[in-house]
Amino acid sequence: MKKLIFGLVYCGMVIVFGSCAALRAMCEFVKHPLTFFHQKKRDVQPEILQDPSYGTHKYVTANGIKFHYVANGTEGKPLMLFLHGYPEFWFSWRYQLLEFCRDYYAVAVDLRGYGDTERPPNQKDYHLDKLTQDIAELIPALGYSSCVLVAHDWGGGIAWKVIDSHPELVDHLVMMNSPHHKIFAKAFSKWGQLMKSWYIFVFQLPYLPEIMMSARDYKMLERVFLSKPMGLINKEGFSKEVMETFKYTFSKPGACTAALNYYRMVFKTRARTAHRSNDKIEKPILLIWGDDDGAFLLEMADQHNLVATNLIVKHIPKCSHWVQQDRPDLVNQYMREFLQDDVS
């Protein structure tokens, strides 16, 4: 009966939100018929992505995937591994790569299907179990037995699973605006969170999300990062040059579909993640939360004592979902304070 009810609710949400999204796309086309399908040709990598101060571009194979990453700092120092969210890539961690390279071997990876990492063609290749195994194999592939794991958004969903299933790989966890799956599952039954999660249901549809994402030369990326409710409140650090890096990355063949496949597998992941240990996470965790997040209910941030015993929560008022790019000063400060014994 529960499966039937869930199936009906799921189908209803996809139909309702999908119809609204389709109608909006049609209106956008009517308003901008000549530019709706226009996409700027982007054959040359933006210069800012080649800035050596962010680190060195490298590749490594893990779990059968060739991963691209940017490493800053001295290899052999403790590993700090950064996992980005949607729709992002390694560059989302530019401020942290510059800040922590003195004390750590700071590595920002393009997750499976993103950036210059390989893009498997099938939806099933983006199941959470495979995404988790990617990181479980990536850490030793980089030459380490454990790390400080830093994650945001979808990267956080993967990181929670990593620390749940492979706690020996994580010395400290720094999480940013990404709730533990148990906390999110409870919130997902509330109308407020369902409305914030409308896009997840739209992303279940074929073709339409890709069209929406790329329309008018990836105008959706500008809306996601630069307008409320998801957008940056502090826009000074998000210049046109920075915006162009995201458009360049997602204009690559198959990039939009690969990123969307994370969401298209999320409800298929649900059944497998339901049966987990009830033991709380004992590793030290810092949860940083931008309080003006358009994707998640604020109340979720302070509920994580239900899943962790050694937890610090830091709120950043008037800060968006994109917390590490929006307020890098405070994010880096809170990380420093949390990790001070680790580098002393």
Side-chain angles (χ1 to χ4, degrees):
M1 182 59 71
K2 287 184 178 180
K3 288 184 178 180
L4 177 60
I5 295 174
F6 175 80
L8 291 173
V9 172
Y10 166 79
C11 291
M13 290 296 182
V14 171
I15 291 171
V16 171
F17 289 121
S19 298
C20 292
L23 181 60
R24 179 171 180 174
M26 289 176 62
C27 292
E28 192 88 355
F29 175 75
V30 170
K31 289 180 181 179
H32 308 279
L34 299 180
T35 59
F36 187 80
F37 291 106
H38 169 73
Q39 295 176 24
K40 178 182 174 181
K41 192 174 183 179
R42 294 180 170 87
D43 295 332
V44 180
Q45 186 181 63
E47 289 186 9
I48 194 172
L49 294 181
Q50 305 171 43
D51 187 339
S53 66
Y54 293 125
T56 304
H57 293 255
K58 298 183 178 183
Y59 292 87
V60 67
T61 299
N63 199 23
I65 298 290
K66 185 178 180 181
F67 286 89
H68 167 257
Y69 64 96
V70 174
N72 206 359
T74 304
E75 198 167 358
K77 287 188 176 182
L79 174 64
M80 180 178 285
L81 180 61
F82 298 94
L83 310 182
H84 64 80
Y86 171 89
E88 300 175 280
F89 67 115
W90 72 264
F91 191 63
S92 300
W93 299 108
R94 57 196 177 280
Y95 297 109
Q96 288 70 44
L97 286 171
L98 293 172
E99 174 68 22
F100 293 98
C101 62
R102 296 187 300 275
D103 300 309
Y104 294 89
Y105 185 53
V107 171
V109 64
D110 284 335
L111 295 176
R112 172 185 291 237
Y114 280 88
D116 290 324
T117 291
E118 281 190 281
R119 283 184 259 284
N122 302 313
Q123 283 188 24
K124 65 181 181 180
D125 293 320
Y126 297 87
H127 192 284
L128 183 57
D129 288 344
K130 291 190 176 183
L131 303 175
T132 304
Q133 191 61 28
D134 285 347
I135 306 308
E137 295 190 23
L138 181 62
I139 294 168
L142 291 170
Y144 289 83
S145 58
S146 63
C147 70
V148 174
L149 191 57
V150 185
H152 170 253
D153 188 74
W154 246 110
I158 299 169
W160 283 121
K161 180 91 183 285
V162 170
I163 201 169
D164 273 344
S165 55
H166 303 281
E168 72 282 358
L169 296 176
V170 183
D171 299 318
H172 297 78
L173 177 63
V174 179
M175 191 67 66
M176 302 181 195
N177 285 72
S178 184
H180 189 276
H181 62 273
K182 291 180 180 177
I183 304 299
F184 183 68
K186 290 181 180 179
F188 202 63
S189 62
K190 296 183 179 181
W191 182 250
Q193 185 57 52
L194 277 175
M195 294 303 293
K196 284 179 176 287
S197 300
W198 64 269
Y199 59 92
I200 297 179
F201 297 100
V202 175
F203 289 172
Q204 304 307 307
L205 297 171
Y207 308 121
L208 178 62
E210 282 90 340
I211 293 173
M212 292 172 58
M213 192 169 182
S214 61
R216 300 183 62 208
D217 197 32
Y218 299 90
K219 190 72 174 179
M220 183 179 123
L221 289 175
E222 295 181 27
R223 291 170 178 161
V224 165
F225 288 116
L226 299 176
S227 62
K228 291 187 177 183
M230 290 285 288
L232 289 164
I233 295 169
N234 175 18
K235 300 179 182 180
E236 294 179 3
F238 215 86
S239 64
K240 289 183 178 180
E241 184 183 27
V242 169
M243 188 72 250
E244 185 60 26
T245 68
F246 288 88
K247 291 188 175 184
Y248 166 80
T249 298
F250 284 95
S251 66
K252 294 182 179 182
C256 288
T257 297
L260 290 164
N261 280 342
Y262 280 59
Y263 291 96
R264 287 167 176 159
M265 286 302 299
V266 74
F267 291 109
K268 298 179 179 67
T269 299
R270 180 179 177 274
R272 294 192 189 184
T273 58
H275 304 289
R276 298 256 184 92
S277 171
N278 289 322
D279 294 340
K280 290 187 177 182
I281 302 167
E282 297 181 356
K283 293 296 181 76
I285 299 174
L286 170 64
L287 178 61
I288 300 174
W289 203 273
D291 284 353
D292 286 349
D293 192 332
F296 300 119
L297 289 174
L298 175 59
E299 65 192 53
M300 284 193 281
D302 295 315
Q303 295 174 359
H304 281 77
N305 61 335
L306 299 175
V307 298
T309 60
N310 191 356
L311 172 72
I312 297 173
V313 179
K314 293 288 188 178
H315 288 272
I316 303 182
K318 297 183 180 180
C319 181
S320 71
H321 177 76
W322 319 105
V323 59
Q324 79 273 33
Q325 299 182 79
D326 195 350
R327 291 300 307 273
D329 53 342
L330 279 178
V331 166
N332 293 347
Q333 175 189 327
Y334 292 151
M335 288 179 63
R336 280 278 178 205
E337 294 169 355
F338 175 65
L339 296 168
Q340 59 184 351
D341 293 335
D342 189 49
V343 296
S344 60

